[in-house]
Amino acid sequence: PDPVGREDLGLGGTGPKGIRWERHGLEAIVKAPLPDNVTSKDIHAEFYQKRVLVSVQGEVLLRGTPGIDLDREECFWEIRSEEEFDGDPLARPCLWVHLMKMNAEKVRWPRWLFKEHAMSIKRKARERRAAERALERQAKVAQKETNN
């Protein structure tokens, strides 16, 4: 069985704009690089049980319906330095968004952080398969015409 609760660890996935997320047991941490000039006043975040919205300097960074219910009172964000090593002079600012599971000991983080992302991926796959089938039909018709 899939690990749940504190055992739900590992990579989560990636998204646009350099966003990546990881499973850390009771929480998922979403990490996004920030421009050097961003301050805490430039970050706007709203956490709900079934919805997340995070923007940076007015540009939406995260928006969607998580694949599980969130404990909105425990969700938070912070600006941290992404260092390759302690005292790294090239460290870049990074936004860390901590999303906390509701019923954390009983559920597992889904494959996709947001349902909209999963639906988008599935829709694109369906469209690709439909296009492949259409090309196959065209090839069969062309082959029949060549044989006649």
Side-chain angles (χ1 to χ4, degrees):
D2 288 333
V4 297
R6 296 179 194 284
E7 304 300 317
D8 187 3
L9 306 170
L11 298 175
T14 60
K17 304 174 190 166
I19 295 172
R20 63 190 191 283
W21 69 283
E22 303 163 352
R23 297 181 339 267
H24 288 267
L26 306 181
E27 70 177 331
I29 300 176
V30 181
K31 299 177 181 179
L34 293 173
D36 289 330
N37 64 340
V38 169
T39 68
S40 60
K41 293 178 182 176
D42 296 318
I43 312 288
H44 173 78
E46 298 177 17
F47 301 110
Y48 301 95
Q49 185 176 344
K50 298 187 181 291
R51 187 169 62 86
V52 173
L53 171 66
V54 178
S55 61
V56 177
Q57 294 178 326
E59 183 178 339
V60 173
L61 186 67
L62 296 173
R63 176 183 10 214
T65 306
I68 62 171
D69 289 347
L70 298 178
D71 183 346
R72 67 180 296 253
E73 297 297 322
E74 296 296 322
C75 297
F76 67 99
W77 61 268
E78 61 183 322
I79 296 176
R80 297 184 63 164
S81 264
E82 280 290 294
E83 297 179 326
E84 294 293 321
F85 53 89
D86 282 342
D88 183 356
L90 301 177
R92 305 282 309 190
C94 186
L95 179 66
W96 285 33
V97 179
H98 300 261
L99 301 175
M100 309 302 278
K101 295 184 214 177
M102 184 169 285
N103 301 318
E105 296 294 339
K106 299 176 185 172
V107 296
R108 183 178 198 284
W109 288 104
R111 184 172 175 200
W112 308 106
L113 187 57
F114 294 113
K115 290 180 180 179
E116 293 83 358
H117 185 227
M119 289 186 296
S120 171
I121 297 292
K122 290 175 183 176
R123 184 181 66 247
K124 287 177 184 175
R126 280 194 308 270
E127 290 169 356
R128 186 179 65 250
R129 287 192 302 271
E132 289 169 354
R133 286 192 299 271
L135 287 173
E136 289 172 3
R137 284 192 298 270
Q138 289 174 352
K140 286 180 182 178
V141 168
Q143 183 66 35
K144 284 182 181 180
E145 289 176 358
T146 304
N147 291 340
N148 290 333

